[in-house]
């Protein structure tokens, strides 16, 4: 269920941002499928299988990072298959400029959900819950809105052919 710090949980921040992304995309006429819309646990295997069955145009997994070094902060974007790099670039570049967070980079990573998904798929780490300042920011409505807007704008940019 993710990391917890000072009463704030990763799963709640993730879901808040994901629901904002869903709402913003729907307003722009995009069909959105969610692996979860409430506080239920969905296995990584089920998330990948759900996506493979649907075959959507893309897959975005939203996460909050954590580290044992409290000074570390910033946004990372992960992809695995080469067909996902354009999507990673579109969303990552908008995230770091819109949210104005440290750019930790784009990484080729073997996270299960992006490794086992054949459609363009990325996993975004929207900040570190282990960093006091960043955690406070991520829990604010302003940063949640900015994060969601950046993800949505990145998705639209990608769907429009960059």
């Amino acid at each position: 269920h993710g990391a917890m710090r000072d009463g704030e949980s990763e799963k709640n921040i993730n879901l808040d941002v994901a629901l904002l992304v869903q709402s913003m995309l729907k307003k722009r006429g995009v069909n959105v499928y969610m692996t979860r819309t409430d506080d239920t646990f969905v296995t990584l295997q089920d998330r990948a299988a759900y996506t493979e069955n649907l075959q959507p145009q893309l897959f975005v997994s939203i996460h909050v990072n954590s580290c044992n070094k409290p000074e570390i902060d910033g946004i990372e974007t992960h992809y695995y298959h080469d067909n996902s790099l354009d999507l990673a670039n579109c969303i990552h570049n908008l995230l770091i400029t819109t949210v104005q967070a440290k750019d930790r980079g784009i990484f080729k990573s073997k996270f299960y959900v992006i490794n086992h998904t054949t459609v363009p798929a990325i996993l975004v780490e929207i900040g570190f819950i282990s960093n006091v300042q960043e955690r406070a920011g991520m829990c604010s409505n302003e940063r949640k809105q900015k994060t969601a807007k950046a993800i949505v704008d990145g998705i639209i940019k990608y769907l429009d052919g960059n």
Side-chain angles (χ1 to χ4, degrees), residues 88-104:
N89 278 314
C90 284
I91 292 177
H92 185 80
N93 293 335
L94 279 158
L95 271 171
I96 57 168
T97 54
T98 305
V99 179
Q100 295 179 324
K102 181 178 178 185
D103 181 357
R104 292 184 50 82

Side-chain angles (χ1 to χ4, degrees), residues 83-122:
N83 69 339
S84 303
L85 184 55
D86 283 349
L87 177 62
N89 278 314
C90 284
I91 292 177
H92 185 80
N93 293 335
L94 279 158
L95 271 171
I96 57 168
T97 54
T98 305
V99 179
Q100 295 179 324
K102 181 178 178 185
D103 181 357
R104 292 184 50 82
I106 297 174
F107 303 93
K108 186 166 185 163
S109 306
K110 276 197 168 182
F111 286 114
Y112 189 92
V113 290
I114 56 176
N115 183 13
H116 289 83
T117 305
T118 54
V119 301
I122 65 159

